[in-house]
Structure formats: C-alpha cells, structure tokens
C-alpha cells in the first residue's frame, strides 16, 4: 500500500464506492455514529478521507463549519458534486500530512481511513495534532481484534486484500498516539471487526 497505488485504486473505485460503503450495514453503522454527535455552528469540523461524502449526507451540514479532505481527486470530485451548493470546503490533501495548524478543529472525523493510508500511525498523529484540547476524534473503521492474533485465514488474505488498498490486520491499539484517551469503543459490524471509537486528548 502506498499513496500512488491508493490514488490509482480509488480512481476506478470512486464510481461504485457508494454501492458498497454507503448502503446496507455500512449505511446503518454510519447513521448510528452521526445521529449521536452534537455538532453546532460554533465548531470547526474536519472530515479526514471524506471519500464520496457518505458521512456528510447523514448530518445537517447547513451552517456548519466543515472542511473535508481526501487524497484521491476522483473521490473528492464525487463529494464536491454532491455538495456543490454547500459551504463545505473540499481540499485535496494527504491525511498523513494534514496542512493545518495545531489544535485547529473541535471534531476530527475519520471513517474508513486508518485502514487504507500507508502509514496509519502518522495519520493518527496528525489527526491528534490538529484536534483542539477539548475536542474529539470520531473513528469508524475495521481493526484486528483487541489482544488477539489474526486468524489464519485473515493472515493469508491480508497481503491479497492490501492490493485493493486496505488492511484487515491493523491494530487500533498499536497505531494510537500516546496523547489520546478512548472515551467509547463500540462494535458496529461483523462481530467487532468494524468499530466506532470516540477519542479525546490527554491534558
């Protein structure tokens, strides 16, 4: 997995992304996450790896201060088209090198991004860096089971699936920065493979 390969993969994946990741169980999981977040117009909100804007469709984005970044111009183009009449700021940007000042955002939303970036630890560090001290990171992604080894089938499939631009074996606990605290960790799909994790910063 690397940035160039991911950009290539999502060039071809962008037209069908919503059919797989914005429907069925994925759509239900996203709804569970965003129905409970109290966004307001005094906050600055960053969507990291916004993709086609699937998450944005589930919130009342009008009058919110939202910035949405993605490394894939094709995925970003899909999102821009959906929200062309909105006030959302869309930027092509690498999640491993977020081009904002420290403590810029009240919320950082990371859906299905930590499992696809080449360096998940660096991405996580960057999200924590741009988060305000009292802010929260909202993660929705797939991770290896806590305190367990991958099953043999997953170990065999992992290098094959990585060719498609995603990793089924990353451990949340191993990629997490030291300056964060987990406020919530909830299983959403596939027996805990997909999790909703709410994160704050340690003072």
């Amino acid at each position: 997995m690397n940035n160039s390969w991911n950009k290539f993969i999502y060039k071809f994946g962008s037209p069908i992304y919503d059919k797989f990741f914005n429907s069925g169980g994925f759509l239900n999981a996203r709804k569970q996450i965003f129905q409970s977040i109290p966004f307001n117009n005094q906050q600055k909100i960053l969507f990291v790896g916004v993709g086609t804007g699937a998450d944005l469709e589930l919130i009342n984005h009008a009058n919110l201060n939202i910035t949405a970044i993605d490394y894939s111009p094709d995925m970003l183009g899909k999102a821009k088209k959906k929200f062309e009449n909105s006030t959302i700021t869309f930027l092509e940007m690498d999640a491993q090198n977020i081009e904002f000042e420290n403590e810029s955002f009240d919320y950082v939303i990371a859906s299905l991004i930590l499992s696809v970036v080449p360096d998940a630890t660096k991405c996580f560090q960057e999200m924590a860096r741009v988060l305000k001290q009292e802010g929260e990171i909202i993660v929705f992604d797939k991770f290896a089971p806590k305190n367990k080894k991958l099953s043999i089938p997953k170990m065999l499939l992992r290098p094959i699936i990585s060719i498609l631009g995603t990793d089924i074996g990353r451990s949340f606990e191993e990629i997490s920065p030291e300056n964060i605290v987990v406020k919530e960790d909830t299983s959403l799909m596939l027996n805990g493979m997909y999790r909703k994790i709410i994160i704050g910063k340690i003072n």
Side-chain angles (χ1 to χ4, degrees):
M1 291 166 59
N2 59 64
N3 275 347
S4 297
W5 180 248
N6 280 357
K7 188 173 285 190
F8 174 79
I9 287 292
Y10 286 107
K11 179 178 182 64
F12 293 97
S14 59
I16 60 172
Y17 182 89
D18 282 347
K19 293 180 180 179
F20 291 95
F21 298 106
N22 194 21
S23 63
F26 284 100
L27 178 58
N28 290 334
R30 292 181 193 272
K31 286 180 178 179
Q32 288 183 55
I33 293 168
F34 291 104
Q35 285 174 350
S36 62
I37 302 177
F39 293 132
N40 66 61
N41 60 11
Q42 301 301 309
Q43 300 162 337
K44 293 183 66 178
I45 305 161
L46 177 66
F47 283 76
V48 179
V50 71
T52 61
D55 291 338
L56 297 173
E57 296 179 73
L58 301 175
I59 66 173
N60 183 13
H61 56 82
N63 301 317
L64 292 180
N65 185 348
I66 297 173
T67 301
I69 67 171
D70 203 283
Y71 190 70
S72 165
D74 297 280
M75 297 287 274
L76 201 62
K78 291 284 184 182
K80 285 181 179 179
K81 188 173 181 179
K82 288 181 184 178
F83 300 95
E84 58 187 354
N85 296 318
S86 75
T87 59
I88 300 169
T89 300
F90 291 98
L91 299 170
E92 187 176 333
M93 191 180 298
D94 186 352
Q96 299 162 120
N97 184 28
I98 299 175
E99 299 170 23
F100 295 110
E101 298 293 328
N102 295 352
E103 300 191 10
S104 294
F105 295 94
D106 298 278
Y107 280 100
V108 177
I109 313 299
S111 290
L112 307 180
I113 182 66
L114 289 170
S115 59
V116 303
V117 290
D119 190 337
T121 300
K122 175 63 173 170
C123 177
F124 212 152
Q125 290 171 343
E126 282 290 274
M127 292 193 299
R129 179 183 65 78
V130 301
L131 182 71
K132 292 182 180 180
Q133 192 61 50
E134 301 303 320
E136 290 183 337
I137 300 173
I138 312 297
V139 173
F140 168 50
D141 219 321
K142 59 181 176 294
F143 297 104
K146 289 184 282 188
N147 304 315
K148 294 181 181 179
K149 292 183 178 180
L150 283 181
S151 65
I152 293 176
K154 284 186 178 180
M155 289 177 64
L156 295 173
L157 285 171
R158 188 178 185 186
I160 298 170
I161 292 176
S162 69
I163 296 173
L164 301 176
T166 190
D167 191 340
I168 61 172
R170 287 185 174 166
S171 165
F172 174 83
E173 291 71 27
E174 290 179 2
I175 67 173
S176 301
E178 294 182 355
N179 64 329
I180 61 105
V181 59
V182 175
K183 297 181 176 182
E184 178 184 337
D185 189 345
T186 303
S187 170
L188 292 181
M189 293 174 59
L190 300 180
N191 296 317
M193 182 177 183
Y194 285 86
R195 292 150 63 185
K196 167 193 174 184
I197 305 175
I198 299 179
I199 298 152
K201 293 178 79 168
I202 297 174
N203 293 325

